[in-house]
Amino acid sequence: MGIAFMLAQKFPRGTKIFMIGEDGIRVALEEKGFEILSVENAPQAQAVVMGIDRSINFYKVAEATLLVRAGIPFYTTNTDRTFPTPRGEIPGSGSWLSVITSATGIEPIVAGKPFPYLMELSLERLGTTKEETLIVGDRLETDIAAGQSVGCPTALVLSGVSSLEEAKLWQPTPDLIAENLSELVS
């Protein structure tokens, strides 16, 4: 939703977007009136949007690379390098993003964490102040950094990516640290 909101402020309805991502991004972009292009129609793109895509393939990455190298604006939902699963961490959006950035030398505009844009949008939609809004996450460099970037209190849960040892070194330290969400809310 954050990237769709951001793009709606920059591009008119009907803008053609080449997207690497899943249904969540697709639906949010379509609800804002953007046209999502297939790999075959990618050369018509006016913007490139990237998020996590568990169906990513060489053709999607190649088209995105060609578009970005040609100067088409490049956006991403987040830079999370990994995605936690019950078996361990797997490549996240940021890992796939690094393929395009290394092939082009161009960094995307980030709509999501850790940049404050998404946090400010969330506060506006919630109708809460930063002081009364607790940002909870499992990753220091995105979730906690995002909350801290707008001055919200933060809580790190250790059931995901970041460890207690990493949290002790993080500055400023998260306001709360819990083993998991259950511990945090009890």
Side-chain angles (χ1 to χ4, degrees):
M1 289 173 52
I3 199 154
F5 185 80
M6 174 189 269
L7 291 176
Q9 293 179 347
K10 298 177 183 232
F11 297 97
R13 293 177 69 80
T15 297
K16 297 175 188 248
I17 295 179
F18 180 66
M19 180 199 83
I20 296 177
E22 296 181 351
D23 285 343
I25 300 169
R26 174 182 300 280
V27 168
L29 291 170
E30 288 175 342
E31 285 177 353
K32 292 290 186 185
F34 296 114
E35 181 182 340
I36 307 303
L37 301 173
S38 65
V39 170
E40 296 76 25
N41 293 322
Q44 300 172 31
Q46 297 163 282
V48 175
V49 172
M50 188 165 183
I52 192 164
D53 186 337
R54 287 169 272 216
S55 297
I56 198 163
N57 61 49
F58 175 80
Y59 303 104
K60 290 178 182 180
V61 172
E63 285 299 331
T65 299
L66 290 167
L67 290 165
V68 171
R69 289 181 69 85
I72 301 300
F74 182 29
Y75 298 88
T76 188
T77 58
N78 69 80
T79 57
D80 290 351
R81 292 183 313 253
T82 59
F83 185 82
T85 72
R87 290 184 47 209
E89 294 179 45
I90 60 173
S93 178
S95 290
W96 293 108
L97 189 65
S98 70
V99 173
I100 296 170
T101 59
S102 69
T104 63
I106 297 171
E107 294 290 328
I109 298 165
V110 182
K113 306 169 292 181
F115 299 93
Y117 179 82
L118 185 60
M119 294 292 105
E120 291 164 355
L121 171 64
S122 298
L123 289 169
E124 180 183 303
R125 294 191 104 182
L126 288 169
T128 59
T129 66
K130 60 186 177 185
E131 296 81 14
E132 65 188 2
T133 307
L134 179 66
I135 305 299
V136 179
D138 69 347
R139 190 183 301 262
L140 289 161
E141 69 273 14
T142 55
D143 304 326
I144 302 306
Q148 291 174 337
S149 75
V150 293
C152 289
T154 59
L156 176 70
V157 290
L158 301 173
S159 54
V161 177
S162 294
S163 69
L164 181 58
E165 294 75 30
E166 292 168 321
K168 288 178 181 177
L169 298 173
W170 187 260
Q171 291 300 315
T173 305
D175 297 292
L176 299 167
I177 299 174
E179 284 299 316
N180 52 47
L181 284 173
S182 296
E183 180 181 300
L184 183 64
V185 296
S186 47

